[in-house]
Amino acid sequence: MSTITAPSEKIIAPAAARPAASHTPDAALIRGIADGDRRAMQILYTRHSVRIYRFILRLTHDASLAEDLVNEVF
């Protein structure tokens, strides 16, 4: 008889054990994203999405396209 096991999940430290979002360098957030930390992705997106959107909007002059491209960036 074989047993079925659930895929292993990454263990993410509680919020109190993680550094404050505003003090976490982007490189550390990217490492967290690679390790499956969804909060790291939220922080990185929140930190940079508006600037990236505005930059792309200036280049394309198309709000819908700019939104799509921001999503592609992340």
Side-chain angles (χ1 to χ4, degrees):
M1 178 191 309
S2 65
T3 58
I4 299 174
T5 59
S8 62
E9 293 185 17
K10 302 278 185 204
I11 298 173
I12 300 172
R18 287 183 264 160
S22 62
H23 301 295
T24 307
D26 288 349
L29 292 173
I30 292 169
R31 282 190 300 274
I33 293 165
D35 289 338
D37 185 350
R38 299 183 99 192
R39 175 124 169 85
M41 182 64 194
Q42 292 171 339
I43 294 167
L44 193 69
Y45 181 85
T46 300
R47 187 178 290 175
H48 296 291
S49 63
V50 172
R51 281 181 276 171
I52 293 170
Y53 171 80
R54 289 177 182 163
F55 174 75
I56 295 171
L57 184 61
R58 281 194 312 263
L59 295 175
T60 64
H61 304 286
D62 183 332
S64 180
L65 178 60
E67 289 174 14
D68 288 344
L69 291 172
V70 168
N71 288 327
E72 288 295 320
V73 165
F74 286 97

